[in-house]
Amino acid sequence: MPVLTRLLILGGTGEARRLATALAGEPGCRVVSSLAGRVRVPVLPPGDVRIGGFGGADGLARWLRDKVIDAVVDATHPFAARMTANAATACAAAGVPLLVLRRPGWTAVPGDDWRRVGSLPAAAALLPSLGRRVFVTTGRRDLAAFAGLADLWFLVRSVDPPEGLVPQRMQLLLDRGPFALDGERALLREHRVDVLVTRDSGGTMTAAKLTAAREGAIPVVMVERPTVPPRVAVVTTVDEAARWAVRPP
Ligand code: NAP
């Protein structure tokens, strides 16, 4: 009898969907993808899908035991730090092997003027020395970090409306990538942006703003990713994750 691996993919990213697609025709693997349920009309991967939180690390550990899951691939967004921490705790508790699939971060090239910082408050502390008109693409959460900068103007782009306190002088742009270079150039020009704040999400979908900033000699404040919990295996490509998934340790 062939061995069947029951795999949980923690998703919400293009990589997670591509992994579910790659494993869809794999006879030795039965996949269930999990989505947080934040997006009203999510793009669903092939295979079984469950939606909604597990109820913390304990809830996830219970779920893994109940569903007799053999392996977990955490393919969440690089900044979904809570889910990644919960997955590490839950998999250790349930004795289930875990792999993190994380796309590589961005790398500066000649002509870039990047300042790497560890947090949004650290980004906010730098801004007054760098510019007056700030383009922020760090997501809708934690914009309170910029609320005290009353002399600066902010263009905030996010998929959903911000939560909590926001900058006092702010224009909101609700939009979802991918973003093309022409559009990013035009946006920076139209709003006379002189500094960009972004997270090191990596990938190609939202990278054009970095090229546009380089061309315009606009400094970039790059918020570093949260670290992956210790002793958790990490790969950067869907192919590597697919190979691991059909034969987990
Ligand atoms: P987070 O802060 O790390 O997680 C918050 C809580 O949401 C988790 O504790 C968990 O609830 C639930 N959750 C997160 N991902 C889940 C998943 N794949 N399946 C089931 N429950 C999940 O995560 P986040 O930053 O809010 O991101 C939520 C989702 O959006 C993730 O799937 C992520 O891949 C995707 N996403 C995030 C970003 C981003 O910028 N953060 C960007 C693009 C896509 P319980 O504790 O109840 O289990």
Side-chain angles (χ1 to χ4, degrees):
M1 267 259 295
V3 181
L4 181 70
T5 303
R6 280 167 299 254
L7 180 78
L8 170 66
I9 299 176
L10 297 169
T13 59
E15 288 84 358
R17 278 194 302 278
R18 291 209 302 280
L19 179 60
T21 304
L23 294 172
E26 186 57 61
C29 204
R30 175 90 191 265
V31 172
V32 54
S33 295
S34 175
L35 304 177
R38 304 279 150 74
V39 179
R40 258 188 304 138
V41 188
V43 187
L44 294 179
D48 294 340
V49 177
R50 66 161 302 285
I51 297 182
F54 296 94
D58 290 349
L60 176 55
R62 263 194 310 277
W63 194 92
L64 294 175
R65 290 193 192 100
D66 288 352
K67 305 288 177 196
V68 201
I69 295 294
D70 298 304
V72 176
V73 175
D74 169 8
T76 54
H77 188 270
F79 281 82
R82 182 141 35 113
M83 189 67 251
T84 293
N86 286 353
T89 306
C91 286
V96 173
L98 168 68
L99 181 74
V100 172
L101 166 57
R102 197 118 306 169
R103 69 178 86 123
W106 287 314
T107 307
V109 300
D112 280 328
D113 176 9
W114 290 7
R115 326 288 160 108
R116 289 192 177 269
V117 295
S119 66
L120 287 183
L126 262 185
L127 283 179
S129 65
L130 294 175
R132 283 278 167 277
R133 299 181 64 83
V134 190
F135 182 27
V136 177
T137 65
T138 53
R140 68 191 164 123
R141 287 188 290 198
D142 303 321
L143 292 171
F146 305 111
L149 299 172
D151 294 340
L152 273 52
W153 177 88
F154 291 84
L155 175 66
V156 171
R157 182 169 68 192
S158 59
V159 176
D160 296 304
E163 284 170 5
L165 268 183
V166 295
Q168 298 171 41
R169 299 170 58 220
M170 175 186 99
Q171 183 171 330
L172 179 63
L173 185 58
L174 293 180
D175 206 353
R176 180 194 297 269
F179 299 107
L181 182 55
D182 280 355
E184 299 295 62
R185 282 186 187 125
L187 197 68
L188 297 185
R189 223 179 14 246
E190 180 192 338
H191 293 284
R192 291 177 288 117
V193 166
D194 56 12
V195 56
L196 164 66
V197 184
T198 187
R199 301 181 301 185
D200 187 8
S201 296
T204 53
M205 300 244 298
T206 60
K209 64 192 167 201
L210 300 172
T211 307
R214 183 189 320 131
E215 290 175 356
I218 293 170
V220 175
V221 181
M222 183 70 70
V223 181
E224 302 270 19
R225 299 164 165 214
T227 50
V228 172
R231 292 179 294 284
V232 173
V234 183
V235 295
T236 56
T237 66
V238 170
D239 283 353
E240 289 169 288
R243 279 198 296 276
W244 182 91
V246 286
R247 221 177 286 260

